[in-house]
Each structure stands twice: as C-alpha cells, then as structure tokens.
Amino acid sequence: MTTRSTYDPHRKWQPRQPGTGSGKTSAMIASLDAEGYESVGAPFGHALVAAAKVDPRIVGLTADLSKYTDLHVFAQAFPDRFYQMGMAEQVMISAAAGMAREGFIPFATTYAVFASRRAYDFIAMAIAEENLPVKIVCALPGLTTGYGPSHQATEDLAIFRGLPNLTIVDPCDAIDVAEAVPALVAHDGPVYMRLPRGKVPSVLRAHDPDYRFELGRARLIRDGSDALVISSGFMTMRALDAAAELERHGVSVAVLHCPTIKPLDTETILAEARKGGRLVVTAENHTRVGGLGEAVAATLLTNGVAPTFRMIGLPDQFLDAGALPTLHDRYGISTRAIARQLRGWL
Amino acid sequence: MSGTTAFPNMSLPRRAWEIRRKAVRMGEVQGQGYVGQALGIADVLAVSYFHALHHRPDDPEWEGRDRFLLSIGHYAIALYAALIEAGILPEAELETYGGDDSRLPMSGMAAYTPGMEITGGSLGQGLGIGVGMALGLRAKGNPAFVYNLMSDGELGEGSTWEAAMSAAHHKLGNLICIVDFNDQQADGKSTEMLCAEPLHDKWAAFGWHVQRVDGNDIPALVAAFDAARNLAEARPRVIICDTVMCKGVPFLEAREITHFVRVEADEWQKALAVLDATKPE
C-alpha cells in the first residue's frame, strides 16, 4: 500500500518575490568598509598588541574564532599569552574568569550570538557577579551578517543590559575600537564590547577632528536644529551620512554618538534632549526591544524630559538571510532608510 | 598543610567528625540545610583540609595556597564546617548560618566568605573556572594545585565535559577534580535522572587520570589524594568518591529522600547525640 505524502512545500519560507539572483549573501567575514571612509585593518588586534606590550596581565582567549575576531594579530605577537579554547564557549568564559581570579586581564572573543545566548549564565555568575575584569569582545553584533538568525545577534544588548556590573560598549569605527581597548584594560571590571572587525572604517574624526573615545561618555559629533539622533555602533556612521544628505534638503540633524550603552551617559543625553524644539530619535543596530532606544526613553521619561521621540532599530523578528545592503534597507538601518524615516517624522 | 591550625595532631577521623557535628549544628540553627551532603562529604573535606591542601588559616588569600573550588554551592554548609575546623572562620559564626547579613549564606559565594574561592551554585561552572585558574597558575610559575569539588549531578551539565576536554587538552597536571558520587539529586537517584556511568571510563576517555574510591574511607582517600598529587604525568586527575548521604547518622541515612533531607525540629539534637556517641579519638 502506498501512502500519499503530506509534505506541504508552502510550509517553508516563501520569498517576497521570485528570486532574482541579485545580491550576494554577506558572509561572516563581511566588514563595513567601502562606504566612503578610509579603513583600518584589524584595529582591535593591533590595539590589543599595543596594550599587551605594556601590561603583562593581558591574555587572549577565543573559541575557535581568532581569525574572525582579529585576535589572531595578538596570537601571533604573543603566542604564549594566547589560549585557543576550541569551540567551547562555556569553558572559554569560565576559564577567563579563572584567569582573572589569578590576576590576569583576559580578553575573550567569539561571535555575539554565542556569547550572549550560549555562555550567558557563565558570564553572569562566573564573571559579572564576581565583578572580574574579563573583557568579552564579540564580532557580528546586531545585523552584520547575512547568515540569518543563527549568526545575527539582534538582541545581545537586551540580554546583557540586565546584568549588573557589566559595562557595555558599542563602538562605531576603528578609532573607537582602538581607543576602547586601553580604556577597557584600565576599567577594573567586566566589559562586553561589540566588535567591528576586518577592514573597519575611520568615521568619527572625519566629522570631528578632536574626537576621542571615552568610556562612559557620549559626544555630540555634529549639531543640528531639527532633529537629534542618539546612536551607537555603525549606526552613528549611518546617522552622520543621513544627516549630510538631509542637509542638502535643508534639514538640520544633530548626531550624538553614545558608544557606551551601559552605564549610559545620561547627563549628556539629558542636556542635549533638553535643548528643545528638536525631534529626538535613537538609532541602533539592534532590536528596538531592550537596547539603546529603550535605555534613552527611560532616561528621558524618568527625568521629566518629553520631546517627540522615535526609535530606529531592527524589528522584533527573526531576520532574513541575504545580502547586507538589502537587509539593512529592508529593516530600516541603511543610510537612505534612516534619512527617509527622519524626513517622514519631521 | 602549613600554618597554624588548632590541635595539629588531631586524627583525620576526628576532623571529619568535627566537620559533621558543626554542619549539623548549622542545620539546627537554620532548621534546614543540605546536611545529608555535609555528612556524606565530611571525610573528603577532612582529608582535603587536614592532609592534602597547602593553606594558611590566617591568610586565606595567600598566593601559594592550593585553590579549593566549591562548584556545588549548596554544599556550603559542609565547607563552612571545614573552614571553621581549619581555623579560617571563627566557630561562633556558625550560629549565623543562613541568616540575614550572615557571611555564611546557604549557597556559597566568593564575595561573602573567607576561604570560599568561587561562587558555585549554578552547577557545572566550577571545573571550567578551575581550568582557567590552573592555566593562570602555570603561566605564573606558581606550583599550587587547583582542587574542584563537584557533585555527580553536575555530570549532567555539558559544560562539565567541555571543561574536562579542555583540561586534558591543556595538559593541566595541576588540576584535581573530586566528584562526590552520592547518587542523589533533587528529583531522585542521579543514575536514574541522567546516568553518567561508566564514569571511570568516561573520564579516562577524556584524557584524565582516574581513581574511584570509597569516599567515606579515610585511608583510601588519603592514598588517592596522594596519588593524584604525586602523579608525574602532565594531565588532570579526578577522584570519584562514592559517598553515603547522611553518613554517620543512621536514622537519616535510612531516609529515602536525602537531597534536601527533612529533619524535624527535635531530630537535630538526636542527630548530635548519635554523633556524640561515636566520637573518634
């Protein structure tokens, strides 16, 4: 007897339109250069080598991702201070905690999805609760790969913001990354840093020659009278580019770069938001749930500051696979999508 | 062992008895506690703190000390008893066990208690932390050992096996893991929840030097701890200790549920009386 198949091909994901073959899946190695800025190779790896030359406490650990987190630069310079822990994030984090207990300053690297989802309890209990100086540095934050939800850490900030003691950094560019490394070493406590790796653009000093990364501080990169964008990560680059485009249309947009997500620089944020008369918009490479936008909203409301407020960020969904430019457009975090949203709200 | 411990010539069976009695006293203070585990592990802790470990009671953070990690946070009642017996904690403090603002919380935490190296309790974390401490000690040229005490229940956590593989890969001859195999966990017998047997073969296959001993037999424990410490090979060592929950108090040993053994208000004194009747020299 034969049985009729109950397989329904329509239960599988359906394309929005018949595949055109255009666009190329952005691989894990995707970096964000070629958007009109000069770029720097592996700024994290080189900054860590520079820091390690003067501080023998620094060690590096990775879970089979040294090449994809730029830690290979450190591994080559300091092979005896580099620990390949294999594809085992739980023991990598636990071992980093153990090394911190023995007086070292471990930099532990993997992808943001694996740190936030798989190793969370180990980060919480072995590191954060103990306030140990482990620096967790993770590539592929937010939507920076086209591999789909297995690699897209769209909720890492939401996961980590709830952890006491943990400092959270979302750098924009090569300058932020390079200057954050010694700041992380100097900070006597645990840090989670999102990592742009590979060829990383140098953005901020092109707009603000005096820019310096300061842990825990936000900085106004550009002023403007119609809207204030408060952003972190590469969304600051996008916001600056969108602001330049809008300027040509007579719209004046200020950009406040906020690379430290926690503790948030509430003083600077409130001072800028209180200036009044401006639409306040947050922009983040992260789900709109639980990230920079909600942190800023809570800061404003609890301090009695109530401007017209909007949030740019990823939707509360598991996102599609595909090419990053397509996906950034689709989910509203490309330069032109940011400009379009701002114009629509003004 | 070095430093100043009271009654340096006291026998190990007597040390174990003192640990048992102090643990039962803490249980009496709080009216509850993981006394079953404490009674079961007392012999292992006596051998650890009064035979194997290099430590200084007056300086629990001495750089040269052997690190003793309590992965099983709920065994804190047992470790507090050992730390009191070793002179690291004052005996009077056992009256505060589990109380508000006590340095002796019911689940062990590093920030609270002198001599408590790590925060255990989220099971399956101690061995991985031990891997990092052993790597760190080696990098510093410090010859101290790391002892990690874990339970058979923790063998169900995948992180335990990540750590086991990692320790062998990194040839951590300065790491000694002690597995308390009492075959009890929250929902029943460990071997019926998620069976980890054949345990000797598993650890051996992961690259460890393995011993399995009666964890309530002090001479056997002394021999196993010595062998683990003196092994010339550069690989991690595990001592699987088969123990009896509630050991030393037969009316509690006989209870079916011993993970969080129920002890009635009037039974604490009965348990102490049983112990007092069997006090070793």
Side-chain angles (χ1 to χ4, degrees), chain B residues 11-270:
Chain B
S11 72
L12 290 174
R14 175 64 179 275
R15 294 291 186 190
W17 180 88
E18 297 279 356
I19 290 169
R20 287 191 168 91
R21 200 176 193 289
K22 288 175 173 63
V24 173
R25 280 283 298 115
M26 277 183 270
E28 184 183 30
V29 166
Q30 188 61 222
Q32 58 177 346
Y34 293 92
V35 287
Q37 287 85 341
L39 291 166
I41 203 67
D43 300 302
V44 168
L45 290 174
V47 171
S48 297
Y49 277 84
F50 299 96
H51 175 74
L53 291 178
H54 295 184
H55 69 98
R56 290 180 178 165
D58 57 348
D59 185 5
E61 294 181 5
W62 170 48
E63 175 68 6
R65 76 195 183 283
D66 293 326
R67 281 67 167 154
F68 188 91
L69 315 186
L70 188 70
S71 186
I72 21 178
H74 60 287
Y75 278 47
I77 189 171
L79 190 60
Y80 299 150
L83 293 172
I84 290 168
E85 183 59 19
I88 296 167
L89 293 174
E91 181 160 4
E93 216 161 319
L94 71 76
E95 303 293 341
T96 73
Y97 171 71
D100 293 343
D101 302 318
S102 169
R103 295 198 301 175
L104 312 184
M106 286 191 66
S107 189
M109 286 180 277
Y112 281 61
T113 318
M116 186 69 75
E117 296 272 2
I118 65 166
T119 295
S122 177
L123 300 179
Q125 295 210 8
L127 191 57
I129 296 170
V131 166
M133 292 175 83
L135 285 169
L137 287 169
R138 186 165 73 188
K140 290 191 285 188
N142 184 327
F145 277 72
V146 178
Y147 291 77
N148 175 64
L149 176 60
M150 62 179 289
S151 65
D152 51 357
E154 290 186 274
L155 298 168
E157 298 285 359
S159 56
T160 294
W161 300 104
E162 281 189 19
M165 197 158 34
S166 183
H169 176 86
H170 291 285
K171 300 182 168 55
L172 296 178
N174 55 352
L175 179 61
I176 298 173
C177 184
I178 306 156
V179 179
D180 180 22
F181 203 103
N182 54 34
D183 203 18
Q184 284 288 323
Q185 58 189 81
D187 267 355
K189 290 168 79 69
S190 305
T191 44
E192 290 174 6
M193 300 300 111
L194 180 58
C195 185
E197 298 284 7
L199 203 50
H200 186 288
D201 294 349
K202 271 204 180 73
W203 284 97
F206 274 75
W208 287 59
H209 173 267
V210 190
Q211 300 176 83
R212 188 161 189 164
V213 298
D214 177 345
N216 296 120
D217 177 342
I218 285 177
L221 286 168
V222 167
F225 273 70
D226 286 350
R229 186 133 186 156
N230 296 329
L231 186 73
E233 297 166 59
R235 59 177 171 145
R237 307 98 204 270
V238 60
I239 307 169
I240 303 158
C241 301
D242 289 293
T243 63
V244 175
M245 289 283 260
C246 304
K247 179 73 177 180
V249 182
F251 77 87
L252 293 177
E253 282 179 42
R255 292 202 174 154
E256 195 174 338
I257 304 288
T258 49
H259 173 72
F260 195 71
V261 65
R262 186 179 174 87
V263 182
E264 301 301 334
D266 64 328
E267 289 179 329
W268 297 103
Q269 284 297 324
K270 285 182 189 165

Side-chain angles (χ1 to χ4, degrees), chain A residues 270-327:
Chain A
L270 286 168
E272 285 300 325
R274 278 194 174 114
K275 284 181 181 169
R278 296 190 294 194
L279 168 72
V280 174
V281 179
T282 55
E284 60 192 311
N285 168 34
H286 184 266
T287 167
R288 288 191 291 267
V289 177
L292 176 68
E294 289 190 355
V296 170
T299 299
L300 298 180
L301 272 178
T302 52
N303 287 280
V305 180
T308 303
F309 180 79
R310 297 286 183 272
M311 288 161 60
I312 293 173
L314 299 167
D316 181 20
Q317 298 168 13
F318 287 106
L319 308 183
D320 295 342
L324 277 184
T326 312
L327 298 177

